[in-house]
Amino acid sequence: MSACFDKFCQLDALLTQEKAYWQFMPFACQDYPWRHSNPELSTWLDALSELDLALLLEDSAALVRELAVFLPVLPEMHQLADIPALAPVSDVSPRLPRGLDVGIPGRKWLQILAFNAVLPSHQLPWLEWCAGKGYLGRVLAACHHTEVTSLEWQQRLTQDGQLAANQLGLPMTFIQADAFAPESARVIKPDQHAVALHACGDLHVSLLEQVAAKRTAAVSVSPCCYHLIRHEVYQPLSKPAKASELRLSKHDLRMPLQETVTAGQRVKQQRFVEVSYRLGFDALQKHLTGNHEYLPVPNVQKARLKHGFTDFCQWAAAQKGLPLTGDIDYLHWQQQGEARFREVERMELVRQAFRRPLEMWLVFDRALLMQEAGYQVSVGTFCDKPTTPRNIMIHAQLEK
Ligand SMILES: C[S@@+](CC[C@H](N)C(=O)[O-])C[C@H]1O[C@@H](n2cnc3c(N)ncnc32)[C@H](O)[C@@H]1O
């Protein structure tokens, strides 16, 4: 059995065993789900200062170290989720013609160079799936001197991409099409190297499935937006994932993307106000209606929050057709919301520790799909996290 298979099965067993710590919606929980089963963790979380919480959110190694005292499986899970950096096949940047990066945002350019540098060169035509303006395709065409077909849904992007490719004299052909349309399958051919940089959810999954069906020579994808799927719940791809007990909702699938961005003080304060208002209103509506379910309220204009908690509750109640009658102690419910915000933050902190293991479960599911179809698969990172947190590449080539 392959290393991917072993790691997948071990991660699957541990994620299933520990799902009380990550597979839940903090907003909808009145208290830590582990309050009684893991009281030491609850006490530690309650005592955690805001500063320590912020520091741990930004340092996942420290978070795993600290939480391992209460959740001893975490280091093993992170070891299983740890993947190597893919070795660059070449450093092509010096050989690229001038002007190739015109219009490409700086970080995207670095991602593309890094992605290209680890791609094995099979000297095959390229298929660029969900290409945008074909920024990656430009580098592939210029660097490997082989034709690139770039498929993209948005007409404006294909037009701009084709224009730029023509001006640069690159052998690129854009096709404006929906990747899910049956006709799009026709562009996937056996003698090709298909690539998808950050094609969302089902878009990269459908590419892998169609590549496997067409016996395409090679495919390299960097997955992102796992939650952008057409079904309500995740559809496992490989045999071990189909046999797993885990059922992943869209909320679960968002977790790998909930990277903590170091937000500035103003943004943090705005989030505190909005989230604590929502939680305070929820506590109030539960009290008034006897309903125990979390009641989601639509997006709110940020300017509205400046009018205070009472105004927010009146607006939210109107949205939900809920009469606000009687003498309501708004200050009390605002304070309830603030206390709940503190708890929700601490629940999210615990879920953070399972983020990369869950992402690797999803990545190994994709890798195993290709292995089962007879491909040799490698999985690794193609760039560092600051360049993009979605830095994983799955490369599969058909075994001869
Ligand atoms: C996150 S962007 C990535 C673009 C490019 N690969 C890159 O890394 O710069 C995803 C692209 O997929 C395209 N897209 C979304 N749905 C699509 C579909 N059904 N068929 C084809 N392209 C689609 C979007 O228009 C967008 O350009």
Side-chain angles (χ1 to χ4, degrees):
M1 282 298 156
S2 70
C4 282
F5 179 87
D6 288 343
K7 286 186 173 192
F8 176 88
C9 293
Q10 291 178 61
L11 274 175
D12 183 57
L14 296 174
L15 281 166
T16 308
Q17 178 192 305
E18 303 298 321
K19 66 182 179 193
Y21 292 99
W22 61 269
Q23 198 171 37
F24 65 97
M25 290 177 147
F27 256 56
C29 291
Q30 283 308 329
D31 195 359
Y32 305 138
W34 51 81
R35 172 71 72 189
H36 301 296
S37 57
N38 198 336
E40 297 83 5
L41 171 61
S42 308
T43 307
W44 180 79
L45 286 169
D46 284 339
L48 200 64
S49 74
E50 296 310 308
L51 179 63
D52 286 341
L53 181 110
L55 291 173
L56 289 174
L57 278 174
E58 277 158 30
D59 183 350
S60 70
L63 176 64
V64 170
R65 257 196 326 272
E66 294 275 338
L67 283 179
V69 178
F70 316 103
L71 295 168
V73 296
L74 276 180
E76 185 187 348
M77 289 179 92
H78 277 261
Q79 222 168 7
L80 290 165
D82 195 27
I83 47 169
L86 293 167
V89 176
S90 61
D91 174 16
V92 293
S93 38
R95 279 186 279 130
L96 290 173
R98 283 159 65 98
L100 213 63
D101 58 345
V102 169
I104 307 183
R107 242 160 50 100
K108 183 53 81 180
W109 178 244
L110 293 178
Q111 292 166 24
I112 287 168
L113 291 182
F115 190 92
N116 179 52
V118 300
L119 282 180
S121 184
H122 297 294
Q123 286 305 305
L124 288 167
W126 300 94
L127 171 64
E128 187 188 17
W129 201 244
C130 302
K133 290 188 188 177
Y135 292 154
L136 172 63
R138 273 189 212 175
V139 170
L140 298 176
C143 174
H144 301 267
H145 309 290
T146 39
E147 282 174 18
V148 179
T149 303
S150 300
L151 182 132
E152 163 59 44
W153 173 236
Q154 294 185 56
Q155 191 171 29
R156 195 181 48 77
L157 302 186
T158 58
Q159 286 168 345
D160 289 357
Q162 191 66 66
L163 194 69
N166 295 347
Q167 281 168 352
L168 290 159
L170 296 170
M172 293 179 74
T173 308
F174 280 78
I175 297 178
Q176 189 261 313
D178 175 1
F180 294 130
E183 312 83 81
S184 295
R186 274 192 235 129
V187 303
I188 304 175
K189 300 191 176 132
D191 284 332
Q192 254 176 357
H193 186 161
V195 292
L197 173 61
H198 297 159
C200 304
D202 275 350
L203 287 167
H204 69 262
V205 169
S206 77
L207 176 66
L208 293 174
E209 287 175 325
Q210 295 189 72
V211 157
K214 292 271 177 87
R215 319 301 295 150
T216 300
V219 61
S220 312
V221 302
S222 83
C224 76
C225 301
Y226 303 95
H227 62 289
L228 295 180
I229 55 173
R230 287 164 296 172
H231 287 85
E232 259 320 294
V233 290
Y234 182 68
Q235 304 295 301
L237 305 167
S238 64
K239 286 181 190 150
K242 284 177 183 158
S244 167
E245 267 181 44
L246 287 182
R247 296 285 166 274
L248 301 174
S249 67
K250 288 184 185 169
H251 174 75
D252 300 330
L253 295 170
R254 269 179 199 278
M255 202 171 85
L257 285 96
Q258 284 171 345
E259 200 86 26
T260 29
V261 256
T262 340
Q265 205 45 45
R266 197 179 61 85
V267 175
K268 275 189 189 157
Q269 180 59 20
Q270 215 171 40
R271 196 177 104 75
F272 167 73
V273 170
E274 177 165 356
V275 177
S276 63
Y277 278 15
R278 285 179 181 279
L279 292 166
F281 172 73
D282 190 57
L284 168 62
Q285 73 78 19
K286 280 186 175 125
H287 171 75
L288 292 176
T289 63
N291 164 22
H292 293 295
E293 298 287 302
Y294 175 73
L295 184 69
V297 170
N299 283 340
V300 62
Q301 285 189 336
K302 301 289 171 251
R304 160 137 251 141
L305 299 171
K306 292 201 184 96
H307 299 294
F309 180 67
T310 306
D311 172 83
F312 176 82
C313 287
Q314 282 156 354
W315 169 82
Q319 300 295 310
K320 292 286 163 186
L322 176 80
L324 287 184
T325 47
D327 201 8
I328 296 173
D329 180 356
Y330 285 102
L331 183 60
H332 167 77
W333 297 110
Q334 182 173 356
Q335 285 165 347
Q336 290 281 308
E338 289 171 3
R340 296 245 22 248
F341 175 82
R342 210 177 169 273
E343 265 180 10
V344 165
E345 288 256 291
R346 280 151 183 76
M347 289 188 251
E348 290 293 5
L349 181 73
V350 173
R351 291 181 82 234
Q352 281 281 319
F354 293 88
R355 207 167 30 78
R356 197 65 162 184
L358 180 63
E359 178 162 28
M360 288 316 299
W361 186 100
L362 294 164
V363 167
F364 288 139
D365 185 27
R366 286 148 175 75
L368 289 168
L369 167 78
M370 299 313 286
Q371 277 186 0
E372 287 170 10
Y375 285 75
Q376 208 171 43
V377 183
S378 48
V379 173
T381 57
F382 64 94
C383 62
D384 59 10
K385 279 205 154 198
T387 305
T388 170
R390 301 281 75 73
N391 63 354
I392 298 171
M393 182 192 283
I394 304 167
H395 175 72
Q397 59 194 66
L398 201 52
E399 290 190 83
K400 298 264 159 53

